C-alpha cells in the first residue's frame, strides 16, 4: 500500500507539536503538491494516534476536497528496537 | 476502505490487555473465520498504536500467511467528544 505505487511524495513526520500545526502544514503542502504527488503523514510509536488526529483535522477542514490515497502500517527499526508506524498518504481530490 | 465491501466480520476491540493476548486471540479468530470473513482489530484514541503493535505481532507469527485486507481511519463520537480510530482488517492468505 505504500512505496512503489507513488512516484513522488513529501513527508510530514509527527513529533511533539500540536496536531493543528501539522494539519496546517499538510494543507499548505497539499496545495503545493503536483497532480502525481502525495503528502504523507508519518507517525511512529506514541505519535501514531496523533497522526490520525491530524488526518481527521485535515479532513474536517477540506471535506470532500481531500482524498485518502492509502494507509500503510508496519514496524521499522529505531536504534536497537522495533517501533510501529503509520503512513497516511493524502492528495487533494 | 471499510464497511460495505465486507460481508461478515469479527472485531477485536483493543483495551488494556497486553498486545500479545490480543494477537493470540486474533490468530484463533482468523483460523475460525470463513473464506469471506475478515477479522478486524479496532483501536481508539490512545489504543491506536497498540492496535498496530498487535498487527505487527500477528504478522511476525504468521508471515506471508497473513493478508492485510485494509486499514480504515477516521473519527467517531465517544459520549460528547470525538475520538480517532483505526480498523485493521485481516484474513489468512
Amino acid at each position: 500500500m505504500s512505496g512503489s505505487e507513488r512516484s513522488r511524495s513529501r513527508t510530514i513526520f509527527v513529533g511533539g507539536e500540536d496536531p493543528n500545526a501539522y494539519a496546517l502544514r499538510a494543507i499548505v503542502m497539499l496545495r503545493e503538491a503536483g497532480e502525481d504527488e502525495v503528502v504523507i503523514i508519518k507517525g511512529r510509536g506514541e505519535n501514531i494516534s496523533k497522526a490520525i488526529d491530524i488526518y481527521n483535522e485535515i479532513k474536517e477542514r477540506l471535506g470532500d476536497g481531500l482524498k485518502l490515497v492509502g494507509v500503510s502500517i508496519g514496524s521499522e527499526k529505531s536504534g536497537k528496537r522495533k517501533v510501529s508506524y503509520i503512513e497516511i498518504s493524502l492528495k487533494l481530490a
Side-chain angles (χ1 to χ4, degrees), chain A residues 2-93:
Chain A
S2 78
S4 56
E5 73 206 31
R6 78 174 97 98
S7 40
R8 292 163 66 205
S9 66
R10 303 165 184 227
T11 302
I12 291 177
F13 293 94
V14 179
E17 288 175 66
D18 194 73
N20 239 343
Y22 294 106
L24 292 174
R25 203 173 305 155
I27 290 170
V28 170
M29 275 194 188
L30 283 163
R31 294 196 168 132
E32 285 170 357
E35 281 263 316
D36 61 342
E37 206 173 2
V38 298
V39 171
I40 297 173
I41 313 287
K42 178 161 189 172
R44 303 200 312 173
E46 291 305 303
N47 287 319
I48 287 172
S49 65
K50 194 192 276 189
I52 301 181
D53 293 343
I54 294 163
Y55 163 74
N56 288 327
E57 178 72 33
I58 300 167
K59 183 73 192 165
E60 207 160 287
R61 286 169 185 264
L62 300 186
D64 291 340
L66 183 71
K67 180 171 160 50
L68 177 59
V69 177
V71 180
S72 171
I73 59 175
S75 74
E76 61 187 20
K77 284 212 167 171
S78 171
K80 285 184 211 165
R81 64 197 193 89
K82 277 184 164 183
V83 293
S84 294
Y85 71 83
I86 191 167
E87 288 184 356
I88 303 167
S89 297
L90 305 172
K91 279 181 83 165
L92 293 185

